């Protein structure tokens, strides 16, 4: 239960408060999301008692910076969808969150910082080779932020100019359900990036397979089998291990095919 709310006057003050064991709060849609395996859960209640309200510090500005696009971390997912400069695939990822009320509250920075394994946004950002600018450590690529489970204060997201086609796909039983698998694949003549969610404790990138996809040695059934072998999902209410391996393999293979066709 949240018992104390602190409103810092600067990013520096916010980071100092964070070092005292508090948690950042902006849109508020993620902070109390605590699955059963979350170590913060104690007797069914999250241990978060003090939060740092950072919504006044975060920008929601969207602007071009040369060939790149800068997105303020305070940008809501609905604002992301409505913005003309945002790539369509990222808009589509945000749109998978069916509730407009949540999209009007949830922020881009908060979605990344929550580091949920079933995020729609994170795989897409990894595929797009996005960076985050943080107050604590400067600019970090999203893939590193997620893989190393950073908790730095995100100030903005930077989308570089990338080549090729990016495709997002999800396996979900209904718009109100959590996904069983999320994938984002970007293919070009020079590079392939494959990111997948719901198969680990955070979204992962399948780097070991990307060169094979690029040179054509992994395709179709061979690619499906390679993806299934590469991941180690757990059985839960959203699907068995076998189901998740099968869906992940077929989704990645289908996305690669679509990317090269488009």
């Amino acid at each position: 239960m949240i018992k104390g709310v602190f409103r810092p006057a600067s990013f520096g003050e916010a980071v100092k408060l964070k070092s005292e064991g508090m948690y950042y709060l902006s849109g508020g849609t993620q902070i109390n999301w605590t699955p059963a395996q979350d170590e913060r859960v104690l007797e069914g209640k999250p241990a978060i008692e003090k939060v740092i309200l950072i919504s006044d510090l975060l920008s929601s500005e969207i602007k071009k910076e040369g060939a790149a696009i800068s997105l303020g971390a305070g940008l809501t997912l609905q604002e992301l969808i409505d913005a003309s400069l945002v790539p369509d695939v990222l808009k589509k990822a945000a749109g998978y969150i069916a509730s407009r009320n949540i999209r009007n509250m949830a922020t881009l920075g908060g979605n990344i910082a929550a580091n949920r394994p079933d995020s729609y946004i994170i795989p897409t950002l990894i595929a797009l080779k996005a960076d985050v600018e943080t107050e604590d450590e400067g600019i970090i690529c999203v893939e590193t932020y997620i893989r190393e489970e950073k908790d730095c204060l995100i100030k903005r997201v930077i989308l570089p100019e990338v080549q090729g086609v990016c495709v997002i796909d999800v396996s979900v039983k209904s718009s109100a359900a959590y996904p069983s698998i999320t994938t984002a694949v970007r293919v070009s003549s020079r590079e392939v990036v494959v990111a997948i969610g719901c198969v680990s404790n955070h979204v992962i990138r399948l780097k070991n397979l990307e060169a094979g996809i690029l040179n054509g040695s992994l395709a179709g059934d061979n690619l499906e089998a390679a993806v299934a072998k590469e991941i180690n999902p757990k059985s839960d209410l959203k699907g068995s291990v076998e189901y998740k391996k099968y869906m992940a393999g077929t989704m990645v293979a289908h996305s690669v095919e679509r990317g090269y066709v488009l």
Side-chain angles (χ1 to χ4, degrees), residues 151-251:
D151 62 356
C152 307
L153 176 52
I154 298 172
K155 299 165 68 174
R156 66 183 178 123
V157 177
I158 305 163
L159 300 178
E161 184 179 31
V162 293
Q163 302 299 315
V165 176
C166 188
V167 178
I168 181 174
D169 198 5
V170 305
S171 173
V172 62
K173 294 180 179 180
S174 75
S175 62
Y178 295 132
S180 303
I181 296 290
T182 61
T183 62
V185 176
R186 182 171 58 83
V187 296
S188 73
S189 60
R190 296 182 178 181
E191 182 181 39
V192 171
V193 181
V194 179
I196 184 166
C198 305
V199 298
S200 181
N201 61 342
H202 54 70
V203 175
I204 60 173
R205 180 177 169 186
L206 303 186
K207 285 187 176 181
N208 292 339
L209 307 184
E210 292 171 356
I213 297 171
L214 184 62
N215 65 30
S217 63
L218 284 177
D221 293 344
N222 289 337
L223 177 54
E224 291 179 23
V227 171
K229 186 177 180 179
E230 190 75 9
I231 62 176
N232 294 289
K234 295 180 179 179
S235 292
D236 55 29
L237 293 175
K238 295 176 289 185
S240 65
V241 169
E242 293 77 12
Y243 173 79
K244 292 181 180 181
K245 281 178 172 286
Y246 172 77
M247 290 304 300
T250 56
M251 288 163 63

Side-chain angles (χ1 to χ4, degrees), residues 33 51 65 75 107 116 141 160 210 231:
W33 181 80
V51 297
E65 292 186 344
L75 192 71
T107 62
R116 284 178 55 160
C141 70
E210 292 171 356
I231 62 176

